[in-house]
């Protein structure tokens, strides 16, 4: 996260640095992104950057946290989102809200997509941390009797996560088709595929 000196900057300057980082991280994977490009775009000396952030992980963490906060706020304000619903309905409704938000904040969507193909240790840790909230909802549903207690929560979370991203990569440009595929896929995970 930023050093205290960053918060001493004007809101305008903080925003300029944030926007420069978003621009860089939305056009290149974290592992390929350049601090030089961020400082150039922000119009600040490289030395000043290190007065505000300890390095690339630090500024990415800051950008990521700000995006997650905004996404969480938008998602929780969605009219259809019922936090008492089961994990499958929550995922569908949260994805709908995120999809709409992503159309407005396309750079944020690009960052998320680039994170999916970045194999750096830092990004892998960030993905794992965000994955934990999905596992918690699955565990909650087990306690509520909505999911069999013997089901592997991490495996179910993997399946949901893979479904969301795979379908987005295949048909994400078509919102109606994407949400239908997602709804159908979540239904299959929820009910199973056996005939008996």
């Amino acid at each position: 996260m930023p050093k205290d000196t960053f918060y001493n900057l004007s809101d305008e300057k903080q925003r300029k640095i944030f926007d420069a980082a978003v621009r860089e991280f939305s056009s290149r994977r974290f592992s390929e992104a350049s601090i030089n490009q961020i400082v150039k775009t922000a119009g600040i000396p490289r030395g000043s950057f290190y007065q505000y952030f300890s390095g690339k992980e630090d500024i990415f963490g800051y950008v990521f946290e700000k995006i997650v906060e905004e996404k969480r706020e938008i998602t929780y304000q969605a009219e259809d989102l019922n936090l008492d619903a089961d994990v499958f309905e929550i995922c569908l409704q949260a994805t709908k809200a995120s999809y709409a938000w992503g159309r407005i904040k396309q750079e944020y969507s690009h960052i998320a997509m680039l994170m999916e193909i970045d194999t750096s240790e830092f990004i892998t840790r960030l993905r794992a941390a965000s994955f934990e909230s999905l596992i918690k909802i699955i565990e909650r549903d087990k306690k509520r009797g909505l999911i069999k207690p013997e089901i592997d929560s991490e495996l179910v979370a993997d399946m949901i996560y893979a479904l969301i991203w795979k379908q987005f990569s295949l048909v994400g440009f078509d919102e109606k088709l994407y949400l239908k595929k997602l709804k159908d896929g979540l239904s299959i995970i929820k009910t199973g595929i056996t005939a008996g």
Side-chain angles (χ1 to χ4, degrees), residues 144-160:
R144 292 168 52 189
L146 300 174
I147 295 177
K148 296 175 190 172
E150 67 272 12
I151 295 296
D152 182 334
S153 298
E154 285 187 29
L155 181 58
V156 173
D158 280 339
M159 293 166 69
I160 292 171

Side-chain angles (χ1 to χ4, degrees), residues 3 5 13 16 20 24 26 36-37 47 60 70 77-78 80 125 134 141 152 169 178-179 181 188:
K3 298 177 183 178
T5 51
K13 189 138 188 180
K16 196 173 184 181
E24 179 66 5
S26 66
N36 287 335
Q37 191 58 50
F60 189 93
E70 186 177 327
Q77 289 176 0
D80 296 338
R125 284 194 318 265
L134 182 55
D141 283 358
D152 182 334
S169 71
Y178 171 58
L179 293 174
K181 292 267 192 183
I188 290 168

